[in-house]
Structure formats: structure tokens, C-alpha cells
Amino acid sequence: MDALRFSEERKITIYDIAKEAGVSASTVSRVLTNAPGVRKDKRELVQNIIDKYSFRPNALAKGLSETKRQVIGIIMADVRNPYYAGLFVACEQAARKYGYSLLLENSLGLLENEMEQLSLMEEQRVDAVILVGGRVDDLNSNTVFVEKVNQVSNFVPVILAGKLDGTSCSRVQINAIQTMDLIMEHLISLGHTEIAILGGYDHVAASFEKRQRYKQLLSRYQIPYRKEFCETYGGYDYETGYLRMNELFAAGSVPTAVIGINDYAAVGAMNCILEHGLRVPEDISVVGFDNTDICNMTNPRLTSVDYHYEAFAEKLVAAAVNAHGDTGLPALQLIESQLVVRGSTGPVK
């Protein structure tokens, strides 16, 4: 950027300085007001650009740092889903410890909703935005949404509970590969070699990664791959698990163990198995992901992967709170999970 480009009609703004320095507008504001929380090298870089243009702060620039609301916006796919509900409550508890409150929006997984809600969060001047589900779950990032996030993140830090190629936003996400390791190693240790995975779409990054890891582990343990056990795609609900399990029965391809893409799909598969006169886990073992409350409502109780919601939420909220200071947040933080073994899994018959 050259000072000669700015005329009387086009005066430089803090946003121009932020762009040239490669920082957020709020960071420029912190330097202008000599506020703490900016690394020495970034402070010097920003100050040099301010000096180069003989820039003087106006009321808006000061206001960016002086009107902090202590509010974090969080856009979730659908808080009616127990996974999102559990994570939101954990985020709310974590935020309170930092003296923040949360502003929740449900996108219902729709691009237009997420775009509109991002604009709303920016207008509300929240201190940061956390994105959970929706576009940050996509295997292939939506370019229109990437542009929108990049535009908003110039002024409001955006934290991703997933991925979004083409942005430099901090990411906190579950290690999907490790979750599949936990399940497969548990089932294989029980003697299972005929293992089906039901539900989920390959355009969802975590589901794609889980399926790829499933195939890799079959190969590692020299277990034959059976297409019908892996390519029974579908949603993330009870009906998916029930219908996909029913299809396996109809085809005569009955596994000894079933992995539901989440707890609801696992419960659907479990009930289908029971309706066919078989027992869980004596005839077929069943396991799910998310470790939601439903796991303790089934008979037998459901084995499931727990995501350490409290640790997940703590990292998301801490990233949102600390994003203002440019204090060197990790680009990616992975959440490690654990398998909670209950009565729905047992040795192969």
C-alpha cells in the first residue's frame, strides 16, 4: 500500500492499516489506544504503518476497543440435536468463567441462514463468533461462505469448530480419526471382523474421515472389506440407522457388529436388530458416537464415543476470548475422545 494512493477524498482508515499489517481492525485499535494483549512484533508492525501514514485515531477507532460487550456469538447447526445442545451448555459454562455471555443462532444447516447470521453477529458487535456445524462440517468448503467469513473476520474474530479452507481462522475440532480408532480397536479386540458402519454422508468431513479410517484399519488388521457394510449412506437420525440395518437383513448381509454414525443411528439399528429376534450384544454388538443422554436410556445401554464436551467447549471459548489480543493462538487444536463401554458391545458369538 502506498501513501500516495490516499487523497483528500479517500482518507486512510484503521481497516486499511489492518489489511496492510495482516491483523484485525480491533488489533489496530488496541495499538492506537495502547491497550494490552498485542504481541510486541505485531505492535511494532502496526505502529510503523500508522507512522507511515501519519494516521490519527478517530472516535470509531477508539470505540472498537472501548465498547467491548463481553458477548460471544455462536452459530450452531441445530441445538435440538443433543450433540449441539450438550456442547452449547458446556460453552455457556466456559464463557461464564471468562465473564462472557453467549448469543445463540441456529442455522439449521442452511447456507443462507449462516450468511445472514454472520452479518447479524457483526452488526451486534459481538466480541467473537464461534461456528459449529453447517458449512464448517463440509468436506469441500463453500467458496461463497469462505468469502463471507473472511470479510467478517476482518472485524470480528471467527473460531471454527471444524474446517473452512481458504480462511486463517483458528480451528478447534474433534479428532475424527482417533474416534474411529477407539471403536474399531474395541470391536476387533472382541473378535469382530464383520463390522458395518451405518449413516452419514461423505460430503461431511468428519463422516468421510471416519469411513476412510475404517477402511484403513480393516486393511491393517487384514480384515476383508465388504462394500455393503460401509456404503450404506444416510442421515444422522434414528430412521437412518433403522432403515440401513433393515436393508442389511433384507440382503442377507448381517454383520456381527454395527457402528452408528451417531447415537441416534445406533439406537435405530439396535431396535431393528431386536425386532428381527436377535440380541444385543450376544448376536450383534452396537456402538455409536457422541455419548449423548440417550445412551443410558436403551436396554442394553449404548457404548459410545465421548468427545470431552467440557474440554472442547473450554478450548472454543478460550480461543474466542484470546483472539482479540493476537497472542499466537494455535491454528488447529484437536480434541481427543474416549470410548465409554457399556452393555451394547461384547465378544463375537
Side-chain angles (χ1 to χ4, degrees), residues 11 38 86 96 111 115 137 156 161 170 192 220 257 265 275 277 346:
K11 293 184 177 180
V38 181
R96 284 200 193 103
L111 172 63
M115 298 278 281
D137 280 350
V156 180
S170 292
H192 294 280
R220 175 179 298 176
E275 287 182 12

Side-chain angles (χ1 to χ4, degrees), residues 113-342:
N113 287 352
E114 291 185 73
M115 298 278 281
E116 180 180 338
Q117 288 160 356
L118 270 173
S119 295
L120 176 64
M121 295 292 187
E122 185 179 8
E123 291 170 7
Q124 292 286 327
R125 295 189 65 183
V126 297
D127 298 302
V129 178
I130 299 172
L131 301 180
V132 185
R135 302 289 68 75
V136 300
D137 280 350
D138 289 345
L139 180 63
N140 299 310
S141 299
N142 182 289
T143 55
V144 174
F145 190 68
V146 169
E147 291 177 6
K148 179 65 175 179
V149 168
N150 284 336
Q151 174 191 343
V152 171
S153 64
N154 281 329
F155 314 111
V156 180
V158 178
I159 310 300
L160 311 176
K163 77 175 193 71
L164 199 62
D165 299 330
T167 73
S168 58
C169 300
S170 292
R171 296 164 53 196
V172 181
Q173 68 182 89
I174 295 163
N175 186 341
I177 291 175
Q178 186 245 354
T179 64
M180 185 55 76
D181 288 349
L182 292 171
I183 286 180
M184 289 293 284
E185 288 171 5
H186 172 63
L187 292 175
I188 292 170
S189 74
L190 293 171
H192 294 280
T193 57
E194 297 180 339
I195 305 168
I197 178 168
L198 307 181
Y201 296 112
D202 265 3
H203 67 261
V204 176
S207 298
F208 176 81
E209 290 177 1
K210 288 171 182 174
R211 271 196 165 79
Q212 294 306 307
R213 188 61 169 177
Y214 163 91
K215 295 176 183 178
Q216 184 181 13
L217 290 171
L218 289 180
S219 176
R220 175 179 298 176
Y221 288 98
Q222 299 182 330
I223 299 172
Y225 170 72
R226 294 179 59 174
K227 181 178 179 181
E228 67 271 24
F229 284 170
C230 181
E231 299 190 6
T232 51
Y233 300 107
Y236 300 82
D237 51 22
Y238 174 94
E239 289 74 16
T240 290
Y242 184 93
L243 293 173
R244 295 296 174 263
M245 190 69 224
N246 209 39
E247 289 172 0
L248 291 177
F249 276 116
S253 301
V254 183
T256 65
V258 171
I259 303 169
I261 200 65
N262 64 7
D263 291 338
Y264 275 87
V267 172
M270 182 186 293
N271 284 349
C272 181
I273 292 166
L274 297 175
E275 287 182 12
H276 279 79
L278 298 181
R279 299 166 300 165
V280 176
E282 290 84 356
D283 297 307
I284 302 177
S285 288
V286 180
V287 61
F289 291 93
D290 297 352
N291 197 35
T292 54
D293 289 342
I294 197 173
C295 294
N296 289 314
M297 301 177 188
T298 59
N299 186 19
R301 295 189 302 160
L302 182 65
T303 296
S304 185
V305 173
D306 185 89
Y307 298 138
H308 293 301
Y309 290 96
E310 291 78 11
F312 192 6
E314 172 65 30
K315 289 185 183 295
L316 283 170
V317 171
V321 170
N322 294 323
H324 291 278
D326 291 303
T327 53
L329 283 172
L332 172 62
Q333 299 179 73
L334 288 177
I335 302 299
E336 301 297 311
S337 306
Q338 71 178 41
L339 185 67
V340 180
V341 179
R342 299 188 179 92

